[in-house]
Amino acid sequence: MDTEIKKTIEDSCKTVLQENWRENFTIPAEGLYPHQWLWDSCFVAIGKSNYNTKEAQLEIKNLLRGQWANGMLPHMIFSDHGLHKRDRNIWQSWRNAHSPDDVSTSGFTQPPMMAQAVVSIGEKLKVQERRSWYQDMFPALVAYHEWMYAERDPHDEGLILLIHPWESGLDNSPPWVNQLHMHSKPWWVSLVEKTRLDKAVLLFRRDTQHVPPGQRLNNIDALLYYSVLQRLKRKNWDIDAILNRSHFAVEDLAFNSILIRANTLLREIAKTIGHKIPDELSENMKKSEDALDKLWDAYYNQYFPRNFVTHKLIKEPSISTLLPLYSGAVTKERAAELVKKLEDKKLFDTKYPIASVPLSSESYKELGYWRGPTWINTNWLIADGLKRYGYHDEANRIIESSIKLVEASGPYEYFSAKNGAPAGARNFSWTASLIVDFINRM
Ligand code: GLC
């Protein structure tokens, strides 16, 4: 691609990021997403570190305002804007003693991209600045990683469990929808489904006021998400109470793959500043690398997420299938198996890769939310992993196709993997910022 064209795309992405900037953090998109989201901000910081390390650092520091006393980084920090105040009442995370007093947050987390964001920024700083940046961030990162093992790995297996699909960041991905319908369907949702009253739900949904309903989750799934949230709130966001008598807890493949990479980066940070990672955390980190093996299915030749209670693999393929490439912890042979799937035209190899659900899956829906379209953040994660395994051509193809999507339509939230049609929110921050990163790294 011509350098002039790339420069124009890069500038327009930077303009979007500037428009979405709110004093010390970036909203994912105007209207639909008015608050600060955890992994969105990490992706924004990764892209921004290429041209404005100060704002990238502020973005990350602002996330720490929301950190709970037990170390958890919540997936949302609510905006103070009057209009959006009702969102915090839906969550009532103040019911939990660990939540901060002066900031309103959600009650659970999102994929641990923080260490990656900290390192992406660190790499752009001079030695002395990098050290002091890492020194500032290290205690919060250690506390966050310790929290994951303390609260979300009760069987000491090295696999972190999630309690709501939103924690995975891949909200409506088939494994999660499968588990919701199997283990978390209250009678009243079944009744609404049977009586076909679900259309009335549209009146209360904010997302479908911004994006066509066919591009979001269906009303029944939206009700199920809401009902899980209500249950977690009734349990005061307390993990022991939540896990008591519930089958709805998933050892998510994407989340655990991202955690393994984050652990490696945390080690790198510790080494740079000459700090020691606490022994227990260090042991747990090692355990996670080995534990990925428990998610491998020899018959299907791929990894799957697992139900925490039944220990059964959830055999629904999705974009998570490819994320162990990002973890860096799989053998070269297994990485090669995953690359085969990436390049299979019946699965992930579409005209505009990477489809978020393989084409052959019954769950595939061209513009369905996390059910088929191409997302730029998962492209970034997989391209990064591919490069570390030496698959440079494969990574560059994904990068070039991502840039083309944005060149044609602007930084939308997601795109049809078949014909590149844009969908979801327009002027979406992580698309804009990761395209800036792609352009700068080519
Ligand atoms: C949606 C996405 C999630 C993202 C959030 C804000 O919920 O599924 O990954 O963090 O929007 O952009």
Side-chain angles (χ1 to χ4, degrees):
M1 192 182 278
D2 190 87
T3 350
E4 270 307 300
I5 301 179
K6 276 199 219 148
K7 174 91 182 59
T8 314
I9 304 170
E10 187 180 353
D11 287 347
S12 67
C13 285
K14 287 181 181 170
T15 306
V16 166
L17 289 173
Q18 200 179 334
E19 281 166 4
N20 289 347
W21 176 251
R22 298 286 179 276
E23 210 172 323
N24 40 19
F25 74 94
T26 311
I27 53 162
E30 181 73 49
L32 186 57
Y33 303 117
H35 308 290
Q36 184 175 22
W37 265 263
L38 175 56
W39 80 329
D40 295 64
S41 279
C42 294
F43 288 126
V44 166
I46 290 168
K48 256 202 180 173
S49 68
N50 289 291
Y51 66 98
N52 190 338
T53 45
K54 281 279 157 299
E55 278 187 14
Q57 286 174 303
L58 263 183
E59 182 92 40
I60 297 301
K61 281 190 191 155
N62 202 58
L63 282 173
L64 299 189
R65 286 170 59 233
Q67 188 160 35
W68 287 27
N70 59 4
M72 183 183 79
L73 285 172
H75 99 298
M76 284 166 82
I77 300 178
F78 294 112
S79 138
D80 283 331
H81 197 285
L83 254 182
H84 307 299
K85 278 210 167 122
R86 75 177 182 136
D87 290 350
R88 60 185 68 177
N89 291 331
I90 296 177
W91 292 79
Q92 298 183 7
S93 57
W94 55 80
R95 286 164 174 246
N96 188 297
H98 296 297
S99 67
D101 295 333
D102 48 348
V103 202
S104 275
T105 76
S106 65
F108 49 56
T109 194
Q110 240 185 355
M113 286 299 299
M114 177 77 106
Q116 173 75 72
V118 168
V119 169
S120 293
I121 296 170
E123 282 168 348
K124 317 286 181 331
L125 300 173
K126 296 204 187 88
V127 179
Q128 230 12 64
E129 287 176 329
R130 180 183 313 137
R131 277 170 181 251
S132 80
W133 168 240
Y134 285 175
Q135 252 145 11
D136 284 352
M137 294 299 116
F138 187 67
L141 275 171
V142 167
Y144 179 41
H145 286 230
E146 284 182 332
W147 167 80
M148 283 187 266
Y149 290 104
E151 289 227 337
R152 299 304 189 83
D153 184 20
H155 295 165
D156 263 341
E157 289 191 277
L159 289 172
I160 301 306
L161 66 87
L162 306 186
I163 52 176
H164 193 287
W166 288 340
E167 289 201 295
S168 75
L170 316 174
D171 308 5
N172 206 33
S173 197
W176 279 101
V177 176
N178 160 307
Q179 291 295 290
L180 269 174
H181 284 264
M182 198 162 0
H183 297 297
S184 195
K185 198 167 190 179
W187 65 268
W188 59 271
V189 178
S190 304
L191 186 70
V192 172
E193 196 173 17
K194 260 195 212 125
T195 48
R196 305 223 178 121
L197 283 175
D198 60 290
K199 283 230 169 68
V201 176
L202 275 181
L203 297 174
F204 302 96
R205 288 181 62 176
R206 191 175 64 200
D207 57 345
T208 45
Q209 289 162 20
H210 295 279
V211 173
Q215 295 176 18
R216 301 291 292 188
L217 36 159
N218 67 40
N219 291 327
I220 295 297
D221 289 354
L223 279 180
L224 289 175
Y225 285 30
Y226 181 70
S227 89
V228 181
L229 198 74
Q230 289 305 315
R231 178 173 180 274
L232 301 179
K233 180 164 70 181
R234 282 199 303 277
K235 305 275 176 182
N236 299 331
W237 308 102
D238 175 75
I239 195 66
D240 294 330
I242 289 168
L243 292 180
N244 190 14
R245 294 198 297 144
S246 169
H247 275 57
F248 189 67
V250 172
E251 288 158 343
D252 186 77
L253 179 56
F255 190 102
N256 280 285
S257 299
I258 291 172
L259 172 63
I260 292 170
R261 177 71 185 143
N263 284 337
T264 306
L265 295 168
L266 186 55
R267 283 194 202 103
E268 222 174 280
I269 293 172
K271 199 167 156 214
T272 309
I273 55 177
H275 279 30
K276 196 171 172 296
I277 296 195
D279 290 342
E280 198 180 336
L281 176 58
S282 188
E283 276 163 35
N284 284 329
M285 284 160 53
K286 177 81 192 63
K287 224 182 273 172
S288 287
E289 278 171 31
D290 301 336
L292 205 52
D293 212 38
K294 297 179 189 164
L295 304 182
W296 176 257
D297 183 290
Y299 178 76
Y300 287 101
N301 252 338
Q302 69 182 77
Y303 295 92
F304 288 110
R306 192 172 77 166
N307 180 299
F308 164 72
V309 180
T310 64
H311 268 198
K312 288 216 164 32
L313 294 180
I314 306 161
K315 297 190 184 172
E316 292 276 356
S318 70
I319 193 69
S320 306
T321 308
L322 302 174
L323 280 173
L325 285 167
Y326 177 72
S327 77
V330 304
T331 59
K332 283 201 169 117
E333 291 71 30
R334 289 213 178 146
E337 284 299 330
L338 296 181
V339 173
K340 263 194 229 157
K341 297 202 186 301
L342 173 71
E343 301 204 310
D344 186 332
K345 295 226 177 301
K346 289 197 266 347
L347 302 175
F348 294 102
D349 187 16
T350 52
K351 186 161 179 209
Y352 295 97
I354 307 169
S356 45
V357 167
L359 295 180
S360 62
S361 161
E362 279 179 13
S363 305
Y364 178 84
K365 207 168 154 233
E366 189 177 346
L367 293 180
Y369 205 54
W370 291 111
R371 292 270 296 272
T374 298
W375 287 74
I376 303 303
N377 67 331
T378 43
N379 277 7
W380 188 93
L381 293 167
I382 293 163
D384 188 78
L386 284 169
K387 284 198 174 171
R388 279 183 278 114
Y389 277 99
Y391 291 97
H392 293 277
D393 292 347
E394 291 77 356
N396 288 336
R397 214 192 118 212
I398 294 167
I399 293 173
E400 271 162 30
S401 154
S402 305
I403 299 174
K404 278 206 183 110
L405 285 169
V406 172
E407 181 194 8
S409 315
Y412 267 79
E413 193 177 4
Y414 43 95
F415 305 86
S416 158
K418 286 184 174 167
N419 60 23
R426 55 194 286 273
N427 293 339
F428 190 65
S429 294
W430 84 39
T431 305
S433 101
L434 295 177
I435 290 296
V436 171
D437 196 61
F438 277 155
I439 291 176
N440 276 278
R441 291 220 267 157
M442 274 180 90

